[in-house]
Amino acid sequence: MAASTARIPARATIDRARPDEPGSPVRRQPLSAAPITRRSALLALAATLAAPPAVAAGLDGEEVRLIPTEQRITALTFNAAWNEDGLDSVLTVLRGHRAPATFFVTGEFAQAHPQALRAITAAGHGIGNHSHTHPDFRDITRREAEQEMDRADQAIRTASGTTPAPFFRFPYSETTEQGIAAANARGWTNVEFTTDTRGYVGTEGGMTTAEAVTRVADTLVPGQIVQMHMGTPERHGDVIDALALPDIIDLIHTRGYEIADLRAALA
């Protein structure tokens, strides 16, 4: 894969795993104006909080599969739609390596596992939106897509007690133009991935930790975005990505790369 490619159009050939699974700016009152009342201060604060985030510069309308950079950085991401199996191990490994990650969770996951979201945010990691019920966005209307995004956003805010990162990732990575437009209208950048470790397949599907690491190694270029998964379908089998994570991080560092926080890399 050429390292000079900053972002890749929606239908470019790239690893696509398919697991089961406005506001106006606040005007500052000049010093010579009348004193700010408690009411006006609260209104100003509310207006600021209501203002949506901005899509990362130059990425409006884009399907992002590489961070636009020539720096030797990679980003670690995890999808969560099933259960929290493996989360404790993942957070422990990330903490030990001082490595940031972004967790893309569904609204249903947030509602079922609020303690998992609180643990993720307490560890300093970002949480992105992965829809509410994990539908294929090619099969739903623009309005339904918006509802999926908004329901998930509210569920994530409620469960985590914080504002999610301004990122949206499509279920199955099946992006649509109307879905990207809906995400962008909310100030969210569509973040997909360069490679999926396919750890979600599990040992029953023939996946191994060594193969998961190899899939990262084979696609390691500046700006790489790695997709992994939390939990296991129906709670059986090993969480391959949790087991492979230490080796994945070691590989990245051995190759002279740093692990970047998507919130900073796509600011």
Side-chain angles (χ1 to χ4, degrees):
M1 182 178 293
S4 61
T5 303
R7 56 183 182 269
I8 302 176
R11 293 294 171 248
T13 300
I14 199 162
D15 182 17
R16 280 178 178 271
R18 183 183 172 98
D20 297 328
E21 16 161 89
S24 301
V26 176
R27 295 184 180 276
R28 296 187 179 276
Q29 196 172 31
L31 294 177
S32 59
I36 298 176
T37 65
R38 177 178 175 80
R39 173 180 168 76
S40 63
L42 290 174
L43 288 174
L45 176 61
T48 301
L49 294 176
V55 176
L59 298 181
D60 189 68
E62 296 287 342
E63 172 185 315
V64 179
R65 292 187 175 274
L66 281 172
I67 299 167
T69 183
E70 295 182 0
Q71 297 180 5
R72 294 171 72 84
I73 61 173
T74 187
L76 303 177
T77 69
F78 292 85
N79 292 356
W82 299 310
N83 50 66
E84 76 281 18
D85 290 357
L87 177 60
D88 288 345
S89 174
V90 165
L91 292 179
T92 297
V93 171
L94 292 173
R95 181 170 60 251
H97 287 82
R98 297 185 179 181
T102 303
F103 293 76
F104 287 87
V105 309
T106 65
E108 290 185 336
F109 179 90
Q111 291 174 335
H113 307 287
Q115 74 287 348
L117 272 70
R118 289 193 293 269
I120 290 168
T121 56
H125 304 295
I127 298 179
N129 190 313
H130 194 39
S131 81
H132 191 70
T133 65
H134 207 272
D136 189 326
F137 272 59
R138 297 172 300 175
D139 299 332
I140 62 177
T141 66
R142 167 71 180 256
R143 179 56 183 155
E144 290 170 333
E146 292 172 339
Q147 291 173 339
E148 282 284 332
M149 295 176 183
D150 293 341
R151 290 178 65 196
D153 182 65
Q154 185 56 58
I156 292 168
R157 289 173 184 269
T158 299
S160 68
T162 190
T163 302
F167 305 137
F168 179 77
R169 173 172 284 170
F170 285 84
Y172 312 112
S173 197
E174 294 293 354
T175 63
T176 66
E177 290 185 4
Q178 68 175 11
I180 293 176
N184 291 167
R186 286 154 175 75
W188 305 341
T189 302
N190 170 218
V191 179
E192 297 303 322
F193 54 87
T194 314
T195 189
D196 188 309
T197 61
R198 291 181 62 82
Y200 67 87
V201 172
T203 53
E204 293 183 350
M207 180 53 62
T208 65
T209 56
E211 176 62 20
V213 175
T214 297
R215 292 179 67 84
V216 175
D218 289 347
T219 57
L220 186 55
V221 295
Q224 178 198 49
I225 302 172
V226 178
Q227 175 173 279
M228 294 173 277
H229 288 80
M230 292 304 314
T232 54
E234 311 203 355
R235 299 199 100 118
H236 56 72
D238 294 326
V239 183
I240 293 293
D241 289 328
L243 297 175
L245 184 59
D247 290 339
I248 288 173
I249 293 176
D250 287 344
L251 163 76
I252 291 168
H253 289 158
T254 299
R255 295 277 185 94
Y257 281 71
E258 295 296 328
I259 298 173
D261 190 324
L262 274 179
R263 293 169 294 184
L266 295 178

